[in-house]
């Protein structure tokens, strides 16, 4: 049947099972928005306050549902406003398809109004991208983009379409998703790794057998649960593997929820702000098995001495990650879920009680002294929140001290429960991501944990929250400073607090009220409990809520290991 390019785009979204998109319109993408107007009964569009908010919302939707997120924007500043969100998704391997429209073909390269080379700009931060100048290739391009975004190591893909292509006519033949070519209709390569596969690569059985023998020889095994376990939804297989090996499990920032934080084998977070149990366990083990972990500089702070007393085994879907940061003794290339299934078939039950007793002799969480002035500690705040919200509550964070506190003290129990910017460290990620999660999981409670610095970044998305009745409960850890940077200045810059004091507005409770929501400023646990009770009641009515929590300015994230040192050289305990 004959359709315009804009119709083809929307029909292809329906082929992919898309029913939710986030975005912001503009001149070059108006043809697509005109078609979306006609498809309102099939696709829900959320208009955000800013394109960056739309990007984070699509990302949060993807992470929390396991589906591919979709984000739309116009050319020029609309497209470039997406780039922080694209990079965030790329660093954390989140599958999002970004669709932009550019000026007409005859105007390309002429510095036309709102023209930008978004494919050139986004090349390093996407798995692949496209500039569509031929309407005959449009449908296959969209299909392939979704295939690449969701398969192998997931990640963002960008499609830029010239405006005249969205208006041009073409014969369109619908193809159900299950009949799409596995290798991609256009044969596009994935830039992220020259050897990446569009499929889930099957592991080599010989590599599996080698690891089985290594486990047999080990007396002090340790596991790392990384983001790859989360992305693959391999949590059940990973937990079975951990129980069979009977090994303590350290959890990366992106692995939160893949291993239940309350599991008896969980030692807490690893790395710069990792627990003593995690860091000392990794340092003392004779065999370290890292699953879906890329050994970033916040985990392997000093690569040469990382797990220095043991052999390192790396399981990852992306061959490009192997030996990139840490030299391994053995590796297995494959999807975490498949690899763990194969291992569980081969690994017998072990008992490493003596080793576990040693590892768990160290703290798995930070202990806080009660403030003599009654100021709430981060652990008190998070323990109170966790005790009062439903167990399956989705938690979105921004970046900073509050982020580390949340990972340390909130016990995440399933993949997609924790939404955080781990690789890129994007302040302002949290609220948009929370809204995307709520759109994708309307039956769940969604909370947003942020700091007074991060919240200023994208607090304009309160307008989106209120208008669409996407009730999110925002908790601000308000210490009056840019906390993490302030902490570094305190410890390493002789207390020269250059531009980190936030002695200025707004009044966050009044800001929430300006957007039609209630809020409360709390200074003790009793006030916090009252606020949470009211917030949960407001949520039932489709209204969000903001809780401004007073935190001591000098409260720090502990433990802390300085960059470039061994993970047991704690600067703070």
């Amino acid at each position: 049947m004959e359709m315009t390019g804009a119709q083809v785009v929307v029909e292809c979204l329906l082929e992919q099972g898309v029913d939710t998109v986030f975005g912001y319109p503009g001149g070059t993408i108006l043809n697509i928005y005109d078609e979306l107007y006609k498809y309102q009964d099939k696709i829900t569009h959320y208009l955000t306050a800013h394109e960056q908010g739309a990007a984070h919302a699509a990302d949060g939707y993807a992470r929390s549902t396991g589906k591919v997120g979709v984000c739309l924007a116009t050319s020029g500043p609309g497209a470039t406003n997406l780039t922080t969100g694209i990079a965030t998704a790329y660093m954390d391997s989140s599958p999002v398809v970004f669709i932009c429209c550019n000026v007409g073909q005859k105007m390309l390269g002429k510095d036309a109004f709102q023209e930008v080379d978004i494919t050139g700009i986004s090349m390093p931060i996407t798995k692949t991208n496209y500039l569509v100048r031929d309407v005959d290739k449009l449908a296959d391009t969209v299909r392939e983009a979704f295939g690449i975004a969701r398969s192998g190591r997931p990640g963002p893909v960008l499609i830029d379409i010239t405006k005249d292509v969205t208006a041009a006519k073409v014969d369109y033949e619908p193809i159900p998703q299950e009949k799409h070519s596995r290798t991609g209709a256009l044969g596009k390569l994935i830039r992220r790794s020259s050897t990446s596969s569009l499929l889930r690569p099957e592991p080599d059985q010989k590599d599996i057998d080698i690891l089985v023998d290594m486990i047999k020889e080990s007396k002090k095994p340790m596991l790392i649960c990384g983001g790859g376990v989360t992305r693959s939804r391999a949590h059940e297989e990973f937990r079975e593997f951990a129980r069979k090996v009977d090994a303590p499990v350290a959890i990366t920032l992106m692995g939160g929820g893949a291993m239940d934080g309350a599991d008896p084998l969980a030692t807490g977070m690893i790395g710069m702000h990792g627990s003593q149990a995690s860091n000392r366990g990794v340092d003392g083990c004779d065999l370290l098995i890292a699953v879906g972990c890329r050994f970033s500089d916040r985990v392997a702070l000093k690569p040469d001495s990382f797990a220095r007393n043991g052999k390192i085994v790396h399981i990852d879907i992306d061959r490009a990650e192997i030996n990139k940061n840490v030299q391994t003794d053995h590796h297995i290339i494959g999807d975490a879920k498949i690899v763990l299934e194969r291992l569980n078939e081969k690994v017998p039950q072990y008992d490493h009680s003596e080793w576990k007793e040693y590892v768990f002799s160290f703290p798995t969480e930070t202990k806080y002294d009660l403030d003599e002035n009654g100021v709430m500690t981060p652990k008190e705040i998070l323990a109170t929140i966790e005790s009062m919200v439903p167990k399956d509550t989705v938690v979105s964070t921004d970046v900073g001290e509050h982020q580390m506190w949340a990972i340390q003290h909130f016990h995440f129990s399933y993949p997609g429960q924790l939404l955080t910017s781990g690789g890129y460290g994007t302040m302002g990620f949290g609220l948009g991501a929370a809204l995307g999660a709520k759109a994708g999981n309307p039956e769940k409670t969604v909370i947003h944990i942020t700091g007074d610095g991060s919240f200023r970044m994208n607090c304009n998305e309160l307008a989106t929250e209120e208008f669409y009745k996407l009730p999110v409960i925002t908790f601000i850890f308000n210490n009056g400073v840019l906390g993490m940077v302030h902490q570094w200045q305190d410890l390493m810059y002789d207390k020269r607090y250059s531009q980190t004091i936030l002695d200025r507005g707004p009044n966050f409770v009044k800001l929430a009220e300006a957007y039609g929501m209630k809020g409360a400023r709390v200074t003790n646990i009793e006030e916090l409990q009252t606020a949470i009770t009211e917030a949960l009641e407001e949520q039932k009515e489709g209204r969000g809520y903001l809780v401004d929590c007073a935190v001591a300015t000098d409260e720090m994230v502990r433990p802390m290991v300085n960059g470039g040192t061994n993970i047991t050289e704690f600067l703070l305990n």
Side-chain angles (χ1 to χ4, degrees):
M1 66 187 80
E2 189 176 70
M3 289 186 176
T4 65
Q7 289 176 291
V8 169
V9 170
V10 179
E11 286 292 335
C12 284
L13 293 180
L14 293 176
E15 280 184 6
Q16 299 295 325
V18 173
D19 57 14
T20 302
V21 299
F22 305 87
Y24 206 100
T28 60
I29 202 171
L30 273 181
N31 289 333
I32 291 178
Y33 269 87
D34 191 51
E35 288 306 318
L36 282 173
Y37 184 85
K38 304 169 188 175
Y39 285 75
Q40 294 179 69
D41 60 329
K42 297 180 179 179
I43 297 178
T44 300
H45 180 282
Y46 291 93
L47 173 64
T48 56
H50 190 281
E51 289 91 352
Q52 185 178 334
H56 294 326
D59 189 352
Y61 177 92
R63 299 187 196 210
S64 64
T65 63
K67 302 177 183 178
V68 177
V70 179
C71 183
L72 309 177
T74 194
S75 62
T80 54
N81 280 344
L82 295 176
T83 54
T84 296
I86 297 172
T88 302
Y90 182 74
M91 289 291 282
D92 290 342
S93 302
S94 183
V96 183
V97 171
F98 294 89
I99 299 175
C100 305
C101 288
N102 217 321
V103 298
Q105 293 188 66
K106 293 182 179 180
M107 302 305 295
L108 287 174
K110 296 184 178 180
D111 293 332
F113 179 70
Q114 291 192 332
E115 179 194 358
V116 74
D117 177 13
I118 191 59
T119 52
I121 291 170
S122 65
M123 184 179 295
I125 53 173
T126 53
K127 284 183 75 175
T128 194
N129 60 32
Y130 307 82
L131 173 59
V132 183
R133 305 172 70 164
D134 182 350
V135 71
D136 290 330
K137 296 180 179 180
L138 181 57
D140 283 344
T141 299
V142 176
R143 291 164 183 153
E144 185 174 276
F146 274 84
I148 291 175
R150 67 164 62 92
S151 57
R153 179 178 181 172
V157 175
L158 181 137
I159 308 170
D160 194 25
I161 310 167
T162 60
K163 186 173 183 178
D164 50 313
V165 166
T166 65
K169 298 289 185 68
V170 68
D171 285 329
Y172 166 77
E173 179 183 354
I175 302 177
Q177 184 183 334
E178 61 270 15
K179 293 185 178 180
H180 291 177
S181 170
R182 287 187 170 186
T183 57
L186 301 176
K188 191 86 169 180
L189 294 176
I190 302 176
R191 291 197 188 98
R192 184 159 204 163
S193 168
S194 59
T195 57
S196 291
S197 171
L198 287 174
L199 307 178
R200 288 185 169 186
E202 282 284 336
D204 189 316
Q205 188 59 46
K206 292 180 180 178
D207 292 335
I208 298 287
D209 293 339
I210 290 172
L211 178 53
V212 171
D213 289 339
M214 294 175 77
I215 294 171
K216 184 178 180 180
E217 297 298 318
S218 173
K219 302 299 182 185
K220 297 185 290 184
M222 187 83 185
L223 305 184
I224 295 180
C225 179
V229 182
T230 302
R231 293 289 171 266
S232 185
R233 297 302 196 255
H235 50 296
E236 293 181 358
E237 292 79 4
F238 183 90
R239 295 173 193 185
E240 180 184 350
F241 179 65
R243 287 192 293 271
K244 281 193 166 188
V245 179
D246 196 34
V249 179
I251 306 170
T252 71
L253 196 64
M254 301 312 301
M259 182 66 178
D260 190 333
D263 191 289
L265 291 174
T267 59
M269 188 166 64
I270 180 176
M272 178 175 285
H273 295 294
S275 71
Q276 291 196 45
S278 290
N279 288 10
R280 294 191 185 278
V282 167
D283 192 63
C285 69
D286 64 9
L287 177 65
L288 177 65
I289 305 172
V291 186
C293 162
R294 57 190 181 86
F295 295 116
S296 75
D297 59 315
R298 291 299 177 97
V299 170
L301 288 87
K302 189 177 182 181
D304 291 346
S305 68
F306 189 72
R308 56 189 168 183
N309 294 302
K311 295 180 179 179
I312 300 175
V313 178
H314 192 181
I315 299 171
D316 205 281
I317 197 169
D318 191 349
R319 185 179 292 274
E321 292 296 337
I322 304 299
N323 296 327
K324 185 176 80 174
N325 295 324
V326 169
Q327 290 299 305
T328 62
D329 297 280
H330 181 55
H331 62 262
I332 301 175
I333 306 298
D335 179 83
K337 194 178 186 72
I338 298 174
V339 173
L340 290 166
E341 286 174 352
R342 301 286 189 275
L343 286 168
N344 287 333
E345 292 170 359
K346 295 273 189 176
V347 174
Q349 183 62 54
Y350 288 95
D351 182 355
H352 294 111
S353 298
E354 186 176 343
W355 163 241
K356 288 190 302 180
E357 185 177 350
Y358 166 77
V359 173
F360 285 101
S361 69
F362 299 103
T364 59
E365 286 190 46
T366 305
K367 296 181 179 179
Y368 295 84
D369 296 327
L370 294 178
D371 191 284
E372 60 182 16
N373 297 317
V375 178
M376 297 180 291
T377 68
K379 186 172 183 176
E380 283 181 309
I381 296 172
L382 288 157
T384 302
I385 295 170
E386 187 174 12
S387 69
M388 295 185 68
V389 299
K391 184 171 176 55
D392 66 347
T393 293
V394 176
V395 181
S396 174
T397 84
D398 278 295
V399 172
E401 287 183 321
H402 67 274
Q403 177 191 32
M404 296 297 103
W405 290 326
I407 309 310
Q408 289 176 335
H409 304 305
F410 201 105
H411 302 101
F412 304 98
S413 59
Y414 66 90
Q417 183 179 19
L418 168 64
L419 313 176
T420 194
S421 175
Y424 206 48
T426 307
M427 295 175 68
F429 168 80
L431 183 53
L435 297 178
K438 187 62 180 178
N441 305 270
E443 77 288 354
K444 291 184 179 180
T445 295
V446 178
I447 67 174
H448 168 216
I449 295 175
T450 186
D452 48 324
S454 284
F455 188 59
R456 286 174 168 84
M457 294 279 186
N458 281 329
C459 61
N460 52 355
E461 295 304 338
L462 289 175
T464 310
E465 177 179 351
E466 191 279 331
F467 181 80
Y468 290 105
K469 307 302 179 190
L470 295 171
V472 169
I473 305 173
T474 290
F475 294 91
I476 303 174
F477 282 64
N478 192 342
N479 56 7
V481 294
L482 293 174
M484 188 62 78
V485 186
H486 191 269
Q487 176 169 330
W488 282 46
Q489 289 173 333
D490 190 291
L491 296 173
M492 303 170 209
Y493 291 86
D494 198 25
K495 302 185 185 300
R496 293 186 296 275
Y497 302 122
S498 178
Q499 303 303 313
T500 54
I501 309 299
L502 298 179
D503 51 353
R504 62 209 68 183
N507 180 314
F508 291 116
V509 174
K510 289 185 177 180
L511 179 66
E513 292 172 353
Y515 283 104
M517 290 178 278
K518 291 183 179 180
R521 167 76 172 174
V522 300
T523 59
N524 57 57
I525 295 302
E526 291 73 20
E527 292 174 350
L528 176 60
Q529 291 171 332
T530 299
I532 294 173
T533 300
E534 184 175 25
L536 291 171
E537 288 300 317
E538 286 292 298
Q539 188 180 58
K540 293 177 183 178
E541 303 300 322
R543 292 187 293 266
Y545 197 95
L546 183 148
V547 186
D548 184 11
C549 304
V551 179
T553 299
D554 58 357
E555 187 65 79
M556 294 190 185
V557 179
R558 296 177 284 130
M560 180 179 178
V561 181
N562 204 358
T565 64
N566 187 269
I567 59 172
T568 59
E569 296 178 21
F570 291 98
L571 184 63
L572 294 175
N573 287 317

